[in-house]
Amino acid sequence: MKRPFINGMDVSFLDEIEVAGGTFAEDGAKEDLLVLLKRSGVNSIRLRIWNEPPGGFCNLERTLLMAKRIKALGLHFLLDFHYSDGWADPAKQFKPKAWEKLSFDELAHAVGDYTTQVLIALQTQGTLPDMVQIGNEITPGMLWDDGKVDGEFNTPEQWEKFTRLVKAGTAAAKAVDPSINVMIHIDRGGDLPASVAFYERFQEYGVAFDTIGLSFYPWWHGTLDDLRANLAKLATAFGKEINVVETAYPWTLQKGPIPEPIVNSKEQTHAGYPASPEGQAAYLRDFLQIIRDMPGGLGTGFYWWEPAWIPAKSEWSVGHDNNWANLTLFDYEGRRLPALDALLPV
């Protein structure tokens, strides 16, 4: 039976926003964000988890609390293992401090043991994730330098080590519950050659997983046409389900209360989609249609990255300012934007 199309949102900052007093509203009425999102057609929530984040959010303790809220609403749940104490992305894949001095064999065991520990804790309270990511945007590898595979580290020996680390995580997840959907996530939504090369390597090294995950941000990854071509090729080449697990688009270029937005100029926007509430809504509608039109029906859905990261405070646990609040699906005061209507049946 085909799974429902995923209309997903990564709201990992929600916990911190609420602690700071941030609120969300529709038609002037304040409401629990998760309730509001579900009513708007959202059916899945993604959370990131960090091992021991110094800021105290996105750790296991806080993830357990958030998972209860997600499952209480009957929402699908994706957990994104970064295997780091902070951001893991193509520019940095730093080991957790507690793992820095481990041998490679010990590191591989740590990945498996930690994955098991987290999933058992969630399972015990009845909130086991439906899907997990083993690593976040792992195009250049993970747990550097042991699992690094870009630049001078792009060698067969390094790919063997990198994929062994990934296999430790995937095996642990499947051992907890074989029905957990395992995603492998890279950042190259519009880069066909790099995407194909990456998943061919995983095929070569025998990494078993269920879903291909891609990030697609137009100012970094190309056009919607680039995304369409990449999705079509990946679907036909690998025959796996594909989820565009991160995207976003601006509703304004006016920085308002945020110091310096990541997207701050017209040159960074996609042709045909102005940085306005209407332009953002048009982007989401057309983006969704590309995923729905994938060959073989292999497009399983998407997640908007941090649609609710409003400027509720000036200093954040992650150690930098909020540079994302013009890429959300809520305005600076937490009021729902029209792009969310794109998720509802016509």
Side-chain angles (χ1 to χ4, degrees), residues 168-248:
T170 61
K174 291 292 190 178
V176 172
D177 188 330
S179 70
I180 292 177
N181 188 300
V182 172
M183 176 188 290
I184 299 298
H185 170 213
I186 66 172
D187 69 311
R188 301 301 178 93
D191 189 339
L192 192 158
S195 297
V196 170
F198 181 92
Y199 290 107
E200 282 180 342
R201 283 295 189 105
F202 266 45
Q203 202 171 53
E204 176 186 349
Y205 285 89
V207 182
F209 65 100
D210 302 302
T211 299
I212 289 173
L214 301 170
S215 294
F216 177 76
Y217 300 109
W219 53 94
W220 287 323
H221 301 138
T223 67
L224 287 171
D225 284 341
D226 294 329
L227 174 66
R228 181 184 292 107
N230 194 21
L231 294 179
K233 177 63 176 179
L234 290 172
T236 55
F238 300 101
K240 288 184 178 293
E241 295 184 338
I242 304 175
N243 189 295
V244 186
V245 72
E246 290 189 25
T247 196

Side-chain angles (χ1 to χ4, degrees), residues 90-105:
K92 53 192 175 297
Q93 294 279 343
F94 301 138
K95 294 175 187 173
K97 189 173 182 60
W99 298 359
E100 286 177 351
K101 296 182 179 179
L102 299 180
S103 69
F104 180 77
D105 285 345

Side-chain angles (χ1 to χ4, degrees), residues 228-284:
R228 181 184 292 107
N230 194 21
L231 294 179
K233 177 63 176 179
L234 290 172
T236 55
F238 300 101
K240 288 184 178 293
E241 295 184 338
I242 304 175
N243 189 295
V244 186
V245 72
E246 290 189 25
T247 196
Y249 199 77
W251 56 272
T252 184
L253 295 178
Q254 301 299 315
K255 68 179 185 179
I258 57 178
E260 192 58 51
I262 282 179
V263 177
N264 54 54
S265 70
K266 185 178 179 181
E267 289 69 34
Q268 292 172 285
T269 61
H270 192 301
Y273 304 95
S276 66
E278 296 75 21
Q280 183 189 60
Y283 166 83
L284 181 52

Side-chain angles (χ1 to χ4, degrees), residues 243-325:
N243 189 295
V244 186
V245 72
E246 290 189 25
T247 196
Y249 199 77
W251 56 272
T252 184
L253 295 178
Q254 301 299 315
K255 68 179 185 179
I258 57 178
E260 192 58 51
I262 282 179
V263 177
N264 54 54
S265 70
K266 185 178 179 181
E267 289 69 34
Q268 292 172 285
T269 61
H270 192 301
Y273 304 95
S276 66
E278 296 75 21
Q280 183 189 60
Y283 166 83
L284 181 52
R285 285 194 298 270
D286 291 348
F287 166 86
L288 283 171
Q289 195 59 49
I290 289 170
I291 301 173
R292 292 184 184 278
D293 289 344
M294 278 179 55
L298 291 171
T300 63
F302 86 107
Y303 291 80
W304 194 279
W305 196 81
E306 292 294 356
W309 191 13
I310 61 173
K313 57 193 290 194
S314 56
E315 295 184 13
W316 294 82
S317 64
V318 290
H320 61 75
D321 296 321
N322 180 341
N323 53 13
W324 201 261

Side-chain angles (χ1 to χ4, degrees), residues 1 8 13 16 43 73 96 102 111 121 133-134 160 192 195 200 233 250 272 286 288 297 317 342:
M1 185 176 69
F13 272 117
E16 186 169 358
N43 57 15
L73 288 171
L102 299 180
V111 170
Q133 285 179 226
I134 304 302
E160 179 66 39
L192 192 158
S195 297
E200 282 180 342
K233 177 63 176 179
D286 291 348
L288 283 171
S317 64

